[in-house]
Structures are given as C-alpha cells and as structure tokens.
Amino acid sequence: MSVPDATEIPRMGFFTDTSVCIGCKACEVACKEWNGVPEDGLVWTGHSHDNSQGLSADTWRHVAFIEQRATVGHHQPNLQRTGASDGDTDQAFRWLMASDVCKHCTHAACLDVCPTGAIFRSEFGTVVVQADVCNGCGYCVPACPYGVIDKRPDDGRVFKCTLCYDRLQVGQEPACAKACPTDSIQFGVLDDLRERATLRVERLHADGVTEARLYGHDPSDGVGGDGAFFLLLDEPEVYGLPPAPVVTTADLPAMWRHSALAAAGLLLIGLLSAAGARR
Amino acid sequence: MSEPQGSHGVGQTGRQDQGQGDRSYYGRPVLNPPVWEEREIAGYLFTGGLAGASSILAAAADAGGAAGLVRPARLCASAAISVSFVALIKDLGRPERFLNMLRVFKPTSPMSVGTWILSAYAPLNFAASASTLTGRAPRAGAVAGAGAGLLGSAVATYTAVLVADTAVPTWHEAHRELPFLFAGSAASAAGGFGLLAAARAENGPARTMAVLGAVGELAAMRTLRQRLGPLAETLDTGPAGRRLRAAERLSVAGVIGAALLGRRSRVAAALAGGALMSASALTRFGIFAAGMASAEDPHWTVDLQRARIAAAATAAQPSPAPNPASPAPVRSA
Amino acid sequence: MPERRLITSWPLLRQLRGEDPSGRGAAVRSAGTDAIRARTVEADRVVKSVCPYCAVGCAQNVFVKDGRVVQVEGDPDAPHSRGRLCPKGSATLQLTTGSAREQYVLYRRPYGSDWERLDLETAMDMVADRIVDSRRRGWEWEVDSVRTRRCMSIAALGGATLDNEENYLIKKLLTALGVIQVENQARVCHSSTVVGLGTSFGRGASSTLPADLQHSDLIVLEGSNMAEAHPVAFQWVMEAKARGATVVHVDPHYSRTSALADVFVPIRAGSDIAFLGGIINYVIANELDFREYVLAYTNAPTIVGEEFQDVGADGVFSGFDPETGAYDPSSWQYEGAFVAAASGQRDQEGNLAPLDSERSANASEGGRGDPTLDLTLTHPRCVWQILKRHYAEYTPEMVERTCGIPQDLFLTVCRLFVENSGRERTAAFVHGVGWTQHTIGSQYIRAASILQLLLGNMGRPGGGVMAMRGHASIQGSSDIPTLFDTLPGYIPMPHAHAHGDLDAFVSGDAAKRGFWGNMRAYMVSLLKAWYGATATAENDFCFDYLPRLTGSHSTYDTVMEQLAGRIEGYLLLGQNPAVGSANSRMQRFGMANCKWLVVRDFSLIESATWWKDGPEIASGEMRTEDIETEVFFFPAAAHTEKEGTFTNTQRMVQWHEKAIDPAADRRSDLWFIYHLGRRLRERLAGSADAADRPLLDLTWDYPLASGTNEPSAEAVLAEINGWNADGEMLSSYTELAADGSTASGCWIYCGAYADGVNQTARRTPGSEQNWTGSQWAWAWPANRRILYNRASADPEGRPWSERKALVWWDAAEGRWVGHDTPDFEADKPPSYRPPEGATGPAAIAGTDPFIMQADGRGWLYAPAGVGDGPLPVHYEPQDSPLPNRLHRRQRNPARQLYPHPNNRYHPDPGTPGSEVFPFAVTTYRLTEHFTAGGMSRWTPYLAELQPEFFCEVSPELAGERGLEHGGWATLVSARGVIEARVMVTDRMTPLRLGDRIVHTIGLPYHWGPNGYARGDSMNELSSMALDPSSHIQEVKALTVDIQPGRRPRGPARLALVQEYRTRAGITETTGMAR
Ligand SMILES: Nc1nc2c(c(=O)[nH]1)N[C@H]1C(S)=C(S)[C@@H](COP(=O)(O)OP(=O)(O)OC[C@H]3O[C@@H](n4cnc5c(=O)[nH]c(N)nc54)[C@H](O)[C@@H]3O)O[C@H]1N2
Ligand SMILES: Nc1nc2c(c(=O)[nH]1)N[C@H]1C(S)=C(S)[C@@H](COP(=O)(O)OP(=O)(O)OC[C@H]3O[C@@H](n4cnc5c(=O)[nH]c(N)nc54)[C@H](O)[C@@H]3O)O[C@H]1N2
Ligand code: SF4
Ligand code: SF4
Ligand code: SF4
Ligand code: SF4
Ligand code: SF4
Ligand SMILES: [Mo]
C-alpha cells in the first residue's frame, strides 16, 4: 500500500467534549483491544471511579473522574449534606469526567528530542512512535509536557496513542472515537473540529454552562496547539493537565547558546590551566 | 491488594478537591517523571563531564608541558567515556538497539547531537590514549588529544542541554545556568582527578582547572538558585538537598585545599582532588534528584505555568502562554 | 543488493537528500511502519454479530482472519447503536478469544476433591443417564388427585445469555420431559416489568425504543442507571438533551447517569410508589391530566364492581386472606363484565375459591358483558374517582417523609411532568431494575404506567415506558421463555386445578376480546410445532402432554425444593446463582443438596466451584469430601461461535452470524440441548410408559451441519416463526389458526421468517431509514417499533399534534399510515365499532389503541393480573429502616417469604432489635462490570477498571461509623457478612425524612470469590423475599450494619452473623407479619 501524498491530507485530530462524557471507559478498552495494549494491574485507587490513574505506556486513553463541591451549569444535584462529619453542608456538587489522550502536539517535544527517529510525524499530522526503532532511551518521557508517553518496563520501549495510525491509513476512525457512546470523542479534520468546538462552547455558554472552555485548541499556545484538544469544565490542572505547557525545545536555541558559552568557558579554563603549568 | 494511591489529593473521601490549596488531579504528577535510572544517568552526567574536562586537561598539560599529567588525564578521559557508554547503553530499554542512535542526526534532539559528538570524540580520545600507552605516533596522539580536548568541552556541557531540554521543571528552568554548572563541575572533577593522579610538580594545570572549575560551579549554583526562585526548594530538600549541601561543602574544602596546599603537599592535593571529584559527582546526583522531585510533584509544573500565565496577563499579552520561538516546524511535509 | 538497500534506507541519507532535513517525518519512517496494515482490512471476512453483554443489543462486526477472530467492533450501520460500543462491548474480543475461557469438559465425581477431565461424548451420555434416572424418581402423575404429569426432580436455570433458538429448544425439551422448574434471569431481573406493563397496556415489554427518546421533551430515569448499565442506549438521552429536553434522574445513589442529568432527585430506596403516587395525586387533584386521551384511551371512566374495597388505613384491598397471604382478586372486577388480564397472573381465577355463580358464569364465558363507562368521571366507583381517592393521601408532605425528597424538589418534578406532556409535548419514563427488584416490584411499574396514561404519553413519539432490560437476550428469554409460568409468546403454562383440557385452559386464561381472544390459535399452533402430526383435534392437540403447575415454581421455590431434598439434578445453562441470586448462601446449600449439577459457562464461575472453594468450605460449614453432588462443567461456545437471534430491550430480534467454529469441547447450547434430547429419545425409544410419550412424539429433527453436527439455528427460527399446512412460512400471527392447520413455536415471533426470509438478519443502514429503524432486523409484534402507536392519533385518527405525529388514519387510502408500522389492524377505521357480542380482535373498536387488552384500553386500574392489588400502594421493603407512614401494614401483605435458618428477616422498624441493622442498602451496576461477573471479572481489560469490591458511603456516615476512605468495611445482615473497600463520597447523601435521617450504603453487586478481579459477593447479605405477581426478589432495598475493618475468616465468619441475629432477637417469625 502506498503512503498517501502527505500534502493532500488535512491534519486530523480529536476534539474531546468532556461535557458529554459518561465516564464509561469504552475509549480505554477499545484502545487496548485494538492496539493489544497490556492489562496493567488491579490497583484500586479510591480516586472516584478512576483505577487507571493516568496515561502511561499501558494506558493510551485515560478517563479522569473528579468529584467536587462546585456547580456546573444548571445541574441540580440536590444532595443533602447534613454535615455530620466535616461541618460542610455545601450542597453544590458536580462529577466531571474526561478522557485524556496524547495531544499530538503541533510542536511535539517527544518527537523533537527522540534521538533515533523512532517518533515521526505522520501524513495526518499525528505523532507516532515506531516500535521497531525505539531503543528505549527514555528521552521522550520527561520531554512530553503532558505526561503522556511512557516506557513499558518489561518491554523497554515507550508507547503512547498512535491516533490509530493503522486505521487512519485505511480511512477508518480511531478505535476510541468509534466506540465512544456519546460522541464525547470526536475525530476529524482538525480545522473542522476547531470550528465545531467553538460552536459547542458558545452553545454551552448560552445554556448557562459558563464553566465550559477549550483547552489546547489555540495554535498560538506553547505547543502550537494540540492535535487532540478538549472542552473542559474546570481548570486544566484539575484534570491533571498542565495549564500552559510549552514545548521544551522552544528554548533549545537558548540552551545551545548557553552551552556553547559554557564550553568556551571550559576551553578557557583549559587554556589558563595550560598556562598554569608554567608556574 | 493495593492501598489507595497518593494521599496527596485524596482526603478522607474520594473527592479530589478536598483540602487542596493547589489544585491537581489527586496529587498525581502532571508529567511522567523520567524513567532514567539514577545510577546510570546521573552517573553519566558525572563521567561524561569528567571525560570531557579530562581531555581538556590532557591537552592543556600537553600544551603546557606538564607531561606527567597528560597520560593519566588521557587515560582518565578514556576510562570515563567508556564507563559512560556502558551506562548509556545499559539504560536503554533495548540496549541491542543502541546503534539506532545513528539512524538520524537531529538538531532538535540533544541526545542525538550528543551521540554524534561522542562518536567523534571517543575515537579521538582512544587514539590519544593509545598513543600515550604505546608511545607510538606521539604527534598524531597530540593532534588527537587536542581534538579530543576541543570536543571534550562539548561532551562536558551538552549534558546540561540534555536534561534541560525536558519538561522537568527544575532542569528546564535551569537551562541557562546548567551548562555553566556542568562545565564548572566537569572542570572541578577533572582537575580533582589531576590532583589525585599527578605529582606535585606537575599538577599545576590540574590545580588551576580544579580551582577555576569549582569556583565556577559554586558561582553557577548560586545564580541557578536565584533563577529558580521557589523552585529552588527542590534543590534544598530531600536527597537533592543533602547531596547538594555536601557537594558545596566539599567544593569549598577542595578549592581551599587545592589552592593553598595543592602545590605543597601531595596528600593534601590528593585529598582536595578527591573532595572535588566527590563534589562534582554529588552535584550531578543532586541535580538529578532535584529534577525528579520537581517532576513528581504536580504543583511545580502547575505553579510555574500559572505564574507564566499571570506574567503574560500583566504584560497584557493576548495569549496566555509565551509564544515559543520554537525551531520546530509544524510538520515535516 | 541488500547492503545497498540498507544504506539508501538509512534515514540520515534521506534527511540529507533534503525532503525531511530535521528528521522528524517521512525520512525516519521504518520498515515496520511501512508494513503496518490495519487488521480490519486484512481480514478475510466480516461477520455480522450482536454484542453478547447487555440488552441494548449493539450491532457488532466480527473480523475473521485465517479462521480466527481478530477484531470485534461496532457496526456503524446499526440504527440503534450507530457503531458504538461501551467498555464491555469493546472487550468482546478478549471475552471470546482470551485465555480465561475453559476448553474442556470437567467432571467432579461425588465426594471428589478436584476436577477431572472427561470426554465430551461420555459426559453427554452420563448427563442423559442422570436425567433418565432422576426423572423416573421424580415423576408425578398427579397431585392431590389432579393430573400434573410432571417431573419435579430436575430443574434448570439460565437463558438470558442464550439465543432464542436455544431457549426454545430448552423449553421444548424440558417441557416434554415434564420438567416445570425451568427458569432464567428474566425471573430475577425484570419479571415484574412484564406484569406491570403487561397488565397496564397489554404487552409486558418496553413500549418504545431508546432511539425514540431523542424525541422526548422530558426524560425521567428512575430505577435505572442508564449511563452505566446501557451506555450505548444513553446516547439517545444525550441526543434529547442536545435538542433541549430536560433529564431527571431519581435514584438513591448519584451515579454517572445523575452526573449527566439536569436534575438529580435522591430518593430512599424502596419508596418510589410513594413518590409516583405523589405525582399521580398532583396530576389528578389539579386536573392536569390529558383529559381527551384519558377519556378515550384509558379505563378511567370504567365503573368497578361494588365489592371492591380500597386499602384504607388497614393497608389491604378486599379479598385478602391473611392465612395464605394471597388475594382473591374477584372483587376487583369491573361492574358487569369480567376481564382477564393480558399478562401477569392470568390464571388467578382458576386458583381461587369458588366464585359466586354470576361471576363464574361471567368468567367461563370470559368477559361477556360490556364494562360500564361514566364519561363524566363522576361516578364514585369509576376508576377515575377510585384513583383520586386512592392517591389523595400521597401529598408532597407525605412524599418528603417517606422518600426523603424535599417538597419543593418534588413539586419541581411534578411541574416538569405536566409541562412536558399533552398534545404538543411528551415525557418518557426509563426504568430498570431499581424498580423491578422489590417485594412490590410489579406495582412500581404499574404506578409509572398509570402516570403515563394520565398524561397521555403512551404510544406517542418521545413518550412511553422504556424498560431497560438486562442481558443480550433477556427479552427473548421472556418471550420464548425458559420460565416456569409461561409458554412461548406469554401463553400461560397450564395450571393443575383449572386446566383439564384445552377448552378449559383457553376459557380460563384468555381474554375474549382483543388479540388474546385468539389464544386458542396461538396455543394450537404451538402444540403443532412441538408435536407435529401427533397433535390432532381428536387428541386436543396433545394439550395433555403439557405438565401442570401447582403454584409458584420460581427459581427461589426451586432452591427450597433443593433444600428439601426433592431436586436431584440442576442444569445451570448460563447463570451464576451463587453470586447473582438473592441469598447466595441458600443457593449454594441448595446446590449442595443436589445429586448432580450441570454447569455450562465460559469459565469456572462460583456456581461451578462452590464445593471446592466456596465460602462455606472456608467457614467449615461444608467439607468437600462430604458433598455428594456430581458436577459436570461444559465449556460454552461464544456468540461468535454460533448463530442465532438475540432479542434486545426494544423487542428487536437480531440475527448474529457465526464467525468460527468453537474449539475443543466448546459447544453451543443449541448443540448441547439438541444432542441431549437426541440421546434421551434414543434411550427411551420404544418405552411403553405414557410419561415418555411427549418426549418421543416431540418434533426433534433439525438439519445438522456436517462435521460439527451443529443443529441449524435457522431451522429452529423457522419453526418458531411457523408454517401452514403446506409448509409455507407464515408472515403474521393473524394467519394462525385454531384448527391445527398452522404451526408456530412462538406466535409473537410469527413474521420473523416471513416469506421464507430471515427477517431478523435484515441490516438496512440507519442512514437509509427513519429513527424507528424498522428495516433493521425485526421486532415483535409484527415489526412494530413503538407499541400502542394508534394512541399517537386522536380518536378520529389525526395526530394529536404535528410535532408528535407518528401514525394516523389516511382516509383516502383507508389505512393507518405513518412513520412506524401501525400497532393496529391497518385497515380498521377510527369509526369502527364492534358489533354486539363480538369477540377477539373484532371486539376492538377503531378508537381502542390497546389491542391486547380485553377492553382495548390502558389500565389505570387493573381489575386482574396483579397479585397484590389493582392499584399500587406504598409498602416498605421487607427489610427497611422506617415504619410505613401511610397505613397500618408495614410490608406488602401478599409478598412471598421463605422462612429458613439461612434466610432470616430483620425486625420491624421501631421494634427491639431493629436498631442492629440501622442502615439502608441499595445495589446497582457499574459500567465496567457485568452482572454476576462471569463475563467481566475474568476479562482483564474490564477487571482492571474496577478491580475490587467497594461500598459507597457518605462522609456523614463515614464519620458516624469511623469508616476510612480506602480502608475496609464489614457489612452484616441476618443472612451473611461481607467486606468491602470503603469509598467515602459526596455522591452518597443522607436523607432527611421529617425527624429522621436515613443513611444509605451503595453496593455494586458484581464480585465473587473466583476470577481475576475478586471480592465478596453482595448477595451474601440479601434475602429471599419476593413480589407475589412476578416472583422477583428484593435486592434493591435492604438494611445492614456497617463497621470499619475486615470481616472475620473461617468459622468466625458465621459466628459473627449469629451474634448479630441473637443481638437483634431474630427468630423464625421475625419480619413475617402479613
Ligand atoms: N455495565 C453493566 N451494564 C449492564 C449490566 C451490568 O451488570 N453492568 N447488567 C444488565 C442487566 S442484567 C440489567 S437487568 C440492566 C440493569 O440496569 P439498571 O436497572 O440500570 O441497573 P442497576 O444499576 O442495578 O439499578 C438501577 C438503579 O436503580 C437504583 N435503585 C436501587 N434501588 C432503587 C429504588 O428503590 N428506587 C429507585 N428509584 N432506584 C433504585 C440504583 O441505585 C441504580 O442506580 O443492566 C444491564 N446492563
Ligand atoms: N444484589 C443484586 N443482585 C442482583 C441484581 C442486582 O441488581 N443486585 N441484579 C439481578 C439481575 S437483573 C440479574 S439479570 C442477575 C444476573 O445474574 P446471573 O445471570 O447469574 O449473572 P451472569 O454473570 O450474567 O451469569 C450469566 C452467565 O452466563 C454465561 N454465559 C454467557 N454467554 C453464555 C452462553 O452463550 N452460553 C452459556 N452456557 N453461558 C453463557 C456467563 O459467562 C455468565 O457466567 O443478577 C441479579 N442479582
Ligand atoms: S502530548 Fe506528549 S507524547 Fe503526545 S505528541 Fe505531545 S509531546 Fe508527544
Ligand atoms: S525512548 Fe524511543 S521514542 Fe523515546 S526518545 Fe528514545 S528512542 Fe525515541
Ligand atoms: S486514537 Fe487509537 S491509539 Fe490513540 S487512544 Fe484512540 S484508540 Fe488508542
Ligand atoms: S468512551 Fe466517550 S463517554 Fe466513555 S469515557 Fe471515553 S470519552 Fe467518555
Ligand atoms: S454491553 Fe450493552 S451497551 Fe455495551 S456494547 Fe454491549 S450491548 Fe451495547
Ligand atoms: Mo438483569
């Protein structure tokens, strides 16, 4: 099969609208089934219904559950806090659920720093790890500002969402988006998704859900915008997302400059030392 | 059966916002902390620095005529770089694929750049060492040694870029000072080694390098702390704090020892040299630990970015995050 | 030259060649990447299938490569699921191809300590031998000198996970063997829905389909955790929300459904009739009903006989016998007419004390005489007035005190209902087992039905009562029942006392008017399907071959029979009672009292291994070496390994194709039951014993596939559909005849194979049809998707409003037309009035939308069919923290109880000892697990998502009892003790009921001690106490004590329960007052 001509393919991505997420985790399971991602342990966390904890080499979609004493839109929880234990009789309550995934950053740090070329940007504008190349140097792991990519200890290589590169090549939507019962995960041409997301936020605001906001949609943000962006109902950090991530390589020229200066300094010390031999 | 994870964000209930001043997701890190093994990678930061600066020291001794220092310094560089290779390969998840590093040359990847530097540096170094060991081709040995010395400066400092070019708050925020810290630390270690290895009469270059390096290291550390602001807490607490405090003390002692006694007493020189080498190693392990700590606690990531958003807002910039002068093109076409 | 290629493929060179200088794109692609092929396109075949988990019935595509299933995902063409799958459906590949499935037959010999391998054929022979032997011993020609012709020593359980064809053969074979104790999940799940909806509207199934909810203006989810239990169907609720509908969730625990609702209404478990009664009262008292609809389409104007007495302060209706704890419903009848119910306890009158002569005359003529109507609704005995008086006490204040719902919140819900009903708007109820599993469960459904009738929401788009059913084919296992009390198509099983012959049976059980008036045709066609040429008019079509009932033989009665030592053999065909059924301890003791046990399942579920590692082994109450029970484990084929139909929650019968043959000893249940029957017939061939005649005369020859000997499911489906004397496939139940010229294995499924075409395999994409999706598969009855849709038009046949048009009378065409298949005789004009003395369908007027009902009307008041009263009354659950504040009776006086040392009930609230179990408990599902866990606890991708059993408690209760989040809690009832991890969450709320605060503990019920993710089973706590009309157990509301820490091990476990029983002063009569 020939690789499609990259120039003709629009950039593809995800818009995850967490306001309609029912926390079912179909996305997690569908991803694991499609990609053969290993089951990774029976850990009961007590973190609401989240027992997958976060994105990792073995969890490429992760659904966050957040229980808060706060309001969202016109949602009426009507819970009757009697305050017997903590004195807090606040009846406000909301349960946020959100499915997280690799952001397929416009400026992807993982891709930038990978020394082997194991990570590449596909013809769909997505960021993909090539399992037959990765040597497990682990550099991409701390480079990612979102805590997405990770090393599978017993395998040695790193793994993350491929945005179902294999399925995209044959015109199929990613497994997670396909499964999602409520269309919380929407897959499509990134530009279209951005438009759709803007309308959705407007609609929610009109409906009184003033908390609604987009995250990662802005091409002028620190990573040049995410290929997978979100509609959130609270601050990003509440969902475990960085509020204003910046691709680390943005500072790379500065780093090289400083490093060159330091190297020069070191050579200077060398020169002085050589001179010191005469003393 | 496992206990619930992370007491940090979960109070008495499954609610995530309970008693949380700073907001996070159950106290879980925002970042995936580095998967690097401390022994290998912090160790490499040290041995790489030692190797690079030792090559410079060897070249300096060669140029300055401290012949007795050339041989140990070259051998030290070779040994250190060999250990480095072993450490680096060992830390790969798929060590058998280490050659994949040479598939590409990626200017955006300090590790790629470093690999190519090492690929040029190591043979030169080995050639120079071989020459000293065999006594053959001294001329070529000297040229190779000089080359290794030049490249050694890169070997000793690129590692700062390596760790700084991550999202790890302490490392990344330190990206300006870290090369100087690492350069100073490398010089201090190499000089320290020279003090250990060379005779009193011939340890002049080593002494100079040691003292200048250690002073540089101490000075860089000071500016670094200022730069980091609150984040400097990661340098002061936990294992990082212990290591860096010890490093500082040993550095000061080493500098004093080297400067005042290094020429007079072989024992004092050796002690000072040992102190400086230890200090250098502790600095690297300390920085490593500080970075890990900063990645593991979500509030560093969040606070930094919040502060940036606030700063951007006060500077009345329209976009919440600073616009990166990123070299990264959107996509390769 | 490979070296050359090696070099030119060096990414660095490609980089230098300049297409991708930074080395971040095409240049670095690897050979592996170039070789990637999605296995969906590499597959050899794509097989059309249906998700095997829940009743949403999501359509699946199964991808097969080299004889192996390589991927299972949603079928985007399906109008009901649109290609989506929840986590369970998404885990289907692992479920069916994972390593958790057993491959071989396992055998535990009597007193054996471990499994042994057994050859499949040998095992089949052994089971056949056991059946022959046990059947002889348990045979009963008569009871109290009335003919019963049955075998009481064998029982079967399971069916909701099976194909309709499998259930059909199971019921057929076991009935021919005389086995009546045949049950499946439908009993423990939604049997009360069948009674409630069936008596109210005529059919005991959901009136609508989830996709129609998108047209609702108000959706009230109550007793349903739809977002978790039916996630893919929930998309239609989200769709409605997006269109501006309001979504209300009424539930004792705040779930993922609540989070997505606009309004969450916390309610005390077990108090819904008070709540619904409150809304009914609000509507009636304020005359906010849809009056035209009520007058024309409901029995509001019908006058009830003088003998009827409402509950009053005493809490019982007329006709109650405190001795038997049962009602004689004869006093509930309409004035001047006798009507039989379309569902529920239709054999009531047969069981009753002799009726007065006039009534029995009426009865035997089955509803002669017209009900008297008062269209002014003023007659004091008209249903409207009775209803009004009956619910007058259900005030907002009473609702607050009983349900814990603040009055203003309650009134908000009332207003929402009224504002979203009427000509222009419709409201829908969505319910699940939060309503069904109560000792008064049938009446919960009745209460909702009453409300929907009053508000005119039945039969209209966006209206209805959407029963969210359970397993993949639980609707099918109700329709083609492996249930003791019904034959296929809801024909009642004959009763020993009443039904001597076919005539007596038909006149006793069938309504004379409406489509039940044709019951004889349905019954005769069934007998023809089963007994073929042997069934003739002369021999009453072999009616006598049918075994007879003598009361309740539900799965819980079977347990008591086991404990009494009367059951030798037990067949578990895809059910796990040791975890899923109430009081799992009783279940295990029952099984341990059987001589032999057959378990057919995927993995070694708890019901297969209790003799070796059950809780009683650990506590020392049972010793493996003392247990005689011989156990046969047969590995079952998965849905991908067989073909057949599932019937989903919207009555849609979907064909799933076979993808591959099952491996090793795995076999379909169709194979099992067919070859078991074949063996039995071989063994008994030539028997002169009249008891064996039914078996030997049974039609039992289905084409077998060569090689696998798998019987043809399509042939079974064809038999279910039925044929005429010429062997031509019938296309509708209206073609069925009472003279023996037609055969049909299930009259309501007649048409599923119309024109000799498997209609259930139709797969016209949703994009090519309207929202009802009527070209996708086939729905009973007659492919109608929204039932009673005649009611979407006014009596003259015009849509009540354009916005809510569904079907209407086209005078020009002389037909009913519209968006759905009319649930009405297509050419019967609105003006049609039945002639004097008309019977059957002809007695249904052109304005009567409820064509299964004897009077063509929706029943606000049920003069028959519901065992515990014609109107829902609030009673407290069997175990409740509160006294009944409405009247004198604490609990449903007619509930079924099973006194036994292992099934003790809690003291009455307010009496000494009641404080020992102070907290309310409710149980529910989690999205990530499935029922008793057989299909999720062994499936790692699901198990990891909810790895441990936990209890959910409010911060207030945690504070009160010192429970620590993340720690352990011990929960105790009079039946058992379990431990669970503690989840302290704001989602649980204490309820304020006047001066009382009630704490509720939430327990997901999926765990058990086997499998990959393990934990204690919730049902160790629950008791066997049943709803009398449907025999469903109460597991949705009970009481317990909770303490921090883990439960005792070993013998101390039982000792703790005993200590609690003593402390609460529990005796064999505790909680048994009627
Ligand atoms: N994920 C998943 N899906 C499933 C299943 C599963 O096990 N897991 N099982 C399938 C089966 S067999 C079935 S029957 C269906 C059941 O589907 P549901 O009926 O939705 O199942 P439950 O969660 O058991 O109960 C529904 C709700 O009733 C509430 N409830 C309990 N008591 C009361 C009460 O007294 N009044 C009211 N108003 N509410 C009450 C519970 O808190 C719960 O939220 O789901 C099917 N789908
Ligand atoms: N406390 C409490 N108890 C409850 C409920 C509750 O809400 N609370 N809900 C009740 C309800 S609604 C239900 S439906 C029951 C469910 O309880 P069960 O029906 O006992 O539970 P399942 O785990 O669904 O059992 C079905 C078994 O069939 C097997 N199976 C699947 N497919 C096939 C097949 O093709 N052939 C064969 N032979 N086996 C197959 C599965 O592996 C599984 O073990 O639990 C009831 N119990
Ligand atoms: S989110 Fe992380 S892993 Fe994903 S593309 Fe961006 S940097 Fe890479
Ligand atoms: S671990 Fe693999 S993907 Fe990540 S940077 Fe190293 S080689 Fe690249
Ligand atoms: S796009 Fe594919 S790989 Fe990525 S999360 Fe979704 S299913 Fe997994
Ligand atoms: S599949 Fe969709 S609805 Fe379900 S958890 Fe994932 S994003 Fe949310
Ligand atoms: S379990 Fe039910 S909702 Fe989930 S995919 Fe299967 S049929 Fe659909
Ligand atoms: Mo069920």
Side-chain angles (χ1 to χ4, degrees), chain C residues 481-563:
Chain C
T482 35
L483 293 171
F484 85 87
D485 54 346
T486 45
L487 288 163
Y490 301 96
I491 300 172
M493 275 285 282
H495 231 278
H497 302 263
H499 306 128
D501 58 14
L502 184 55
D503 282 335
F505 171 76
V506 171
S507 70
D509 281 3
K512 287 297 163 285
R513 297 155 177 242
F515 276 85
W516 273 117
N518 289 345
M519 186 161 102
R520 192 186 183 97
Y522 313 149
M523 184 67 169
V524 170
S525 298
L526 169 66
L527 291 167
K528 285 298 287 180
W530 283 9
Y531 298 112
T534 315
T536 60
E538 291 67 47
N539 63 12
D540 221 10
F541 298 104
C542 299
F543 178 76
D544 183 50
Y545 280 9
L546 297 173
R548 310 300 157 94
L549 310 182
T550 48
S552 169
H553 307 280
S554 78
T555 177
Y556 294 103
D557 296 289
T558 298
V559 170
M560 298 308 282
E561 289 287 291
Q562 291 171 339
L563 291 168

Side-chain angles (χ1 to χ4, degrees), chain B residues 1-4 10-15 102-108 116 327-329 332-333, chain C residues 10-12 15 19-20 22-26 28-30 948 955 965-966 968 981 983-984 986:
Chain B
M1 298 278 148
S2 40
E3 294 305 311
V10 229
Q12 288 176 298
T13 77
R15 183 154 31 104
L102 300 178
R103 275 182 91 233
V104 283
F105 174 74
K106 283 180 70 174
T108 56
W116 288 104
S332 65
Chain C
W10 191 16
L12 188 62
Q15 249 183 296
E19 303 119 46
D20 171 24
S22 75
R24 289 180 292 183
V28 300
R29 285 178 67 99
S30 70
E948 285 189 56
H965 179 69
W968 290 90
R981 299 298 290 272
M983 171 80 79
V984 181
D986 285 346

Side-chain angles (χ1 to χ4, degrees), chain C residues 76 408 531 956:
Chain C
D408 52 348
Y531 298 112
E956 289 84 355

Side-chain angles (χ1 to χ4, degrees), chain A residues 102-105 108-111 127 143-146 148-149 160:
Chain A
C102 168
K103 315 300 175 292
H104 295 274
C105 311
C110 63
L111 164 55
V127 179
C144 171
Y146 295 99
V148 171
I149 199 165
K160 72 165 189 75

Side-chain angles (χ1 to χ4, degrees), chain C residues 868-896:
Chain C
D868 46 14
L871 288 173
V873 182
H874 169 73
Y875 296 106
E876 286 295 324
Q878 175 63 37
D879 291 343
S880 167
L882 279 192
N884 194 338
R885 288 168 167 177
L886 256 156
H887 50 72
R888 208 176 61 71
R889 304 275 152 166
Q890 172 69 10
R891 314 179 178 85
N892 181 2
R895 71 199 182 280
Q896 278 178 279

